[in-house]
Amino acid sequence: GENVEQHPSTLSVQEGDSAVIKCTYSDSASNYFPWYKQELGKRPQLIIDIRSNVGEKKDQRIAVTLNKTAKHFSLHITETQPEDSAVYFCAAHPSNTGNQFYFGTGTSLTVIP
Amino acid sequence: NAGVTQTPKFQVLKTGQSMTLQCAQDMNHNSMYWYRQDPGMGLRLIYYSASEGTTDKGEVPNGYNVSRLNKREFSLRLESAAPSQTSVYFCASSGVNTGELFFGEGSRLTVL
């Protein structure tokens, strides 16, 4: 089955700096890659996603890049703010597994004011 | 529009006891999921249901059973709870294949 690895597990940045979280996947059939943000004690919520026919997608301060050849995708947050502090999860969806999503182990991001 | 609602939010069980986690969604979604979240392990899929009347095993199904009661409701049952099942459980739903997952608020289960 699909295996998603996520790095780093923890990340601290100064407010205003950029943060980058990287994920790799193993199954070449994966074609959809969402990113979820989970604030402390809350439910995960989708912040951005990318499909395999696109190399990059941006939404204000958040961007995601995808390299299908290398099987890795990354989340980029620019001009970080304290409210960006949360756990971020990447996920991959193989097209041949029905509705299954495979998640990375999460990155705990702390933005220091 | 409540989204995905799961109950209970907290539960403490003794080893060997049974319980059922309830989940309901009001978004007319076809697919529903049960995940467990453990520190350092991310979200792991227990079972999912692609549509009413169907259920499939995920990555970690052992010790659990599920029922897709109707399109709205998807329950998770622990027949004989074990300390290894101490976790936070999330129910989720999605409307279309490769669509956004909408999560419930989570249920924190402790098995003593």
Side-chain angles (χ1 to χ4, degrees):
Chain A
E2 174 64 279
N3 181 44
V4 177
E5 296 191 356
Q6 182 173 347
H7 300 281
S9 56
T10 60
L11 180 60
S12 292
V13 299
Q14 291 291 137
E15 182 177 358
D17 287 350
S18 296
V20 180
I21 301 170
K22 299 182 179 181
C23 289
T24 61
Y25 62 99
S26 60
D27 191 340
S28 57
S30 288
N31 61 358
Y32 174 63
F33 307 91
W35 286 86
Y36 286 82
K37 176 183 180 182
Q38 185 179 28
E39 296 177 354
L40 189 63
K42 301 287 183 64
R43 72 188 84 190
Q45 291 189 296
L46 181 73
I47 55 171
I48 196 167
D49 56 13
I50 191 167
R51 299 187 186 272
S52 59
N53 58 347
V54 175
E56 182 175 2
K57 184 177 179 180
K58 293 183 76 172
D59 183 3
Q60 299 182 345
R61 297 186 296 108
I62 294 173
V64 58
T65 58
L66 171 65
N67 183 326
K68 286 192 297 182
T69 303
K71 295 195 181 70
H72 66 71
F73 57 112
S74 300
L75 177 71
H76 304 253
I77 306 174
T78 59
E79 300 173 21
T80 54
Q81 300 168 3
E83 52 264 38
D84 294 330
S85 296
V87 178
Y88 292 81
F89 293 98
C90 62
H93 176 278
S95 59
N96 57 357
T97 60
N99 287 16
Q100 292 202 50
F101 291 80
Y102 294 84
F103 282 83
T105 51
T107 297
S108 178
L109 173 64
T110 301
V111 179
I112 304 165
Chain B
N1 189 344
V4 179
T5 304
Q6 59 181 104
T7 57
K9 287 187 170 52
F10 301 94
Q11 184 73 49
V12 178
L13 292 177
K14 294 181 179 179
T15 297
Q17 288 185 319
S18 62
M19 76 159 296
T20 299
L21 298 173
Q22 307 284 357
C23 176
Q25 51 91 10
D26 61 3
M27 296 175 283
N28 200 35
H29 285 168
N30 286 324
S31 300
M32 297 187 74
Y33 310 78
W34 277 105
Y35 285 90
R36 60 177 289 173
Q37 183 175 30
D38 303 291
M41 302 288 284
L43 291 155
R44 292 183 293 169
L45 182 64
I46 304 170
Y47 272 94
Y48 70 101
S49 171
S51 61
E52 184 179 354
T54 69
T55 60
D56 287 284
K57 295 179 180 179
E59 303 168 73
V60 289
N62 291 346
Y64 305 94
N65 286 300
V66 291
S67 295
R68 184 74 183 266
L69 305 170
N70 47 55
K71 191 171 186 178
R72 291 187 62 249
E73 298 173 289
F74 188 39
S75 63
L76 178 72
R77 182 161 179 83
L78 287 69
E79 290 290 352
S80 179
S84 61
Q85 294 178 305
T86 293
S87 187
V88 179
Y89 291 85
F90 284 97
C91 177
S93 70
S94 69
V96 295
N97 200 20
T98 73
E100 177 179 356
L101 286 172
F102 291 85
F103 287 88
E105 291 185 313
S107 298
R108 183 175 293 276
L109 174 65
T110 301
V111 183
L112 303 175

